[in-house]
């Protein structure tokens, strides 16, 4: 396994204080399974990095560690200079590190707009003083409704604003999940296969939204994605995982041409495609 490690083009040489996220030698195991084994990388602010790798490589497990759903057994996760290992998951999101899920999480019995409004922090209804101050509450609600409507317009879901989210198709739920993640204007967004199971028209829509967001230069993206064409189009760096480890890390083209990657992952896909 060791000989598989290939830093095809090291583009993560910046010192750690230039990195919005620094993952240092993290591992986790559940019973006899160790889905993440000594993973390290840093993300430069405003970059777009994709993670590829076969099923079961540990990609989602890695996201679970970074976003605080699971805690690391070893290693460190530093976000904006602060260690995250011991911080509660909700606090992590409040700090600007937000993720989406492989199976988009929407609350079916709330309306589409309400699903988005739920994501906003600091709801005055959350604490007693705010609860007793209806004016603060209604002003907050109208602001978050406005933001929700802006987000829905961005992904073309405006006409569903007041429908129950349960009526949305799988693809539309992914759009809603992305909008939910954007409601709090995160500085680092982790996207777990946002395009899987989404029809090509909606994929194009999602990609356009992501490309627009990139232009704003205010967010850093980490994307797990299977489709290489999509990865090549949108990423400025690609990390390849297999068996819980990073086996290659570099510019998209260098990854695409790397022998190590072709052997470990792409080979079967390319052969399959021909
Ligand atoms: N909470 C858990 N308990 C037990 N096994 C887990 C857990 N989370 C992940 N795994 C195992 O870790 C491996 C990697 O899974 P995953 O991270 O979902 O891979 P990927 O997202 O790359 O397809 C799989 O074998 C999976 O069954
Ligand atoms: Mg996964």
């Amino acid at each position: 396994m060791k000989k598989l490690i290939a830093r095809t083009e090291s583009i993560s040489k910046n010192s750690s204080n230039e990195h919005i996220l620094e993952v240092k030698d993290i591992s986790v195991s559940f019973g006899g399974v160790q889905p993440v084994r000594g993973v390290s990388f840093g993300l430069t602010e405003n970059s777009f990095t994709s993670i590829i790798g076969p099923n079961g490589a540990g990609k989602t497990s890695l996201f679970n560690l970074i976003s605080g759903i699971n805690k690391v057994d070893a290693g460190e996760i530093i976000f904006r200079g602060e260690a995250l290992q011991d911080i509660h998951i909700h606090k992590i999101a409040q700090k600007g590190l937000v993720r989406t899920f492989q199976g988009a999480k929407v609350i079916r019995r709330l309306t589409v707009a309400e699903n988005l409004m739920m994501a906003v922090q600091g709801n005055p209804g959350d604490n007693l003083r705010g609860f007793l101050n209806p004016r603060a509450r209604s002003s907050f609600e109208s602001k978050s409704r406005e933001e929700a409507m802006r987000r829905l317009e961005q992904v073309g879901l405006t006409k569903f604003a007041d429908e129950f989210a349960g009526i949305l198709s799988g693809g539309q739920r992914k759009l809603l999940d992305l909008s939910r993640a954007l409601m709090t204007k995160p500085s680092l967004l982790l996207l777990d296969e946002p395009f899987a199971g989404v029809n090509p028209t909606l994929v194009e829509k999602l990609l356009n939204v992501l490309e627009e967001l990139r232009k704003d230069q205010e967010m850093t993206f980490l994307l797990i994605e299977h489709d290489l064409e999509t990865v090549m189009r949108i990423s400025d760096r690609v990390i390849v995982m297999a068996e819980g480890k990073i086996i290659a890390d570099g510019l998209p083209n260098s990854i695409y041409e790397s022998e190590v990657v072709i052997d470990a992952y792409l080979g079967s896909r390319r052969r399959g495609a021909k």
Side-chain angles (χ1 to χ4, degrees), residues 3 13-14 61-62 79 84 96-98 121 126 146-147 150 160 194 206 216 223 232 240:
K3 66 179 189 299
K13 280 186 182 149
N14 301 336
S61 301
L62 176 65
F79 177 61
L84 291 187
L97 196 169
V98 171
Q121 300 136 14
D126 287 348
E146 272 169 36
E147 180 63 18
R150 262 197 298 278
F160 296 107
L206 267 166
D216 297 343
L223 167 76
M232 295 296 151
V240 188

Side-chain angles (χ1 to χ4, degrees), residues 44-234:
T44 311
E45 207 151 2
N46 302 325
S47 58
F48 198 116
T49 304
S50 292
I51 302 181
I52 62 172
N55 270 334
K59 306 180 297 296
T60 298
S61 301
L62 176 65
F63 271 21
N64 289 344
L65 294 177
I66 298 171
S67 60
I69 287 179
N70 296 128
K71 293 298 176 188
V72 297
D73 294 338
E76 276 189 307
I77 301 165
I78 313 286
F79 177 61
R80 295 178 164 271
E82 186 181 9
L84 291 187
Q85 302 90 258
D86 301 319
I87 294 180
H88 192 271
I89 179 167
H90 295 302
K91 289 265 161 56
I92 293 176
Q94 280 169 19
K95 288 174 189 295
L97 196 169
V98 171
R99 72 173 291 182
T100 66
F101 290 86
Q102 211 167 333
K105 292 208 166 166
V106 306
I107 304 170
R108 302 161 64 99
R109 296 179 72 177
L110 289 182
T111 69
V112 167
E114 285 165 349
N115 262 272
L116 295 185
M117 291 162 70
M118 284 277 293
V120 182
Q121 300 136 14
N123 184 341
D126 287 348
N127 61 57
L128 187 61
R129 197 180 306 153
F131 185 76
L132 295 172
N133 181 350
R135 210 184 302 160
R137 211 170 66 213
S138 77
S139 142
F140 177 85
E141 275 171 18
S142 67
K143 277 204 196 103
S144 59
R145 165 97 190 172
E146 272 169 36
E147 180 63 18
M149 295 311 287
R150 262 197 298 278
R151 293 297 169 195
L152 291 176
E153 195 180 343
Q154 190 176 35
V155 297
L157 290 178
T158 305
K159 66 177 181 210
F160 296 107
D162 297 313
E163 305 279 354
F164 286 119
I167 71 156
L168 297 181
S169 71
Q172 289 166 334
R173 283 181 205 188
K174 293 231 164 179
L175 291 173
L176 181 59
D177 197 34
L178 175 65
S179 300
R180 177 194 56 77
L182 294 172
M183 278 294 281
T184 55
K185 303 190 174 72
S187 48
L188 173 60
L189 182 58
L190 310 182
L191 300 160
D192 194 349
E193 300 200 25
F195 311 114
V198 178
N199 75 50
T201 317
L202 286 185
V203 169
E204 197 52 39
K205 181 133 229 152
L206 267 166
L207 277 168
N208 288 337
V209 172
L210 293 180
E211 279 168 346
E212 278 304 309
L213 289 167
R214 283 196 73 182
K215 281 190 205 137
D216 297 343
Q217 291 277 299
E218 285 170 358
M219 271 167 86
T220 307
F221 296 87
L222 188 58
L223 167 76
I224 296 175
E225 173 53 32
H226 272 297
D227 182 58
L228 284 173
E229 228 169 88
T230 305
V231 166
M232 295 296 151
R233 166 170 160 191
I234 201 159

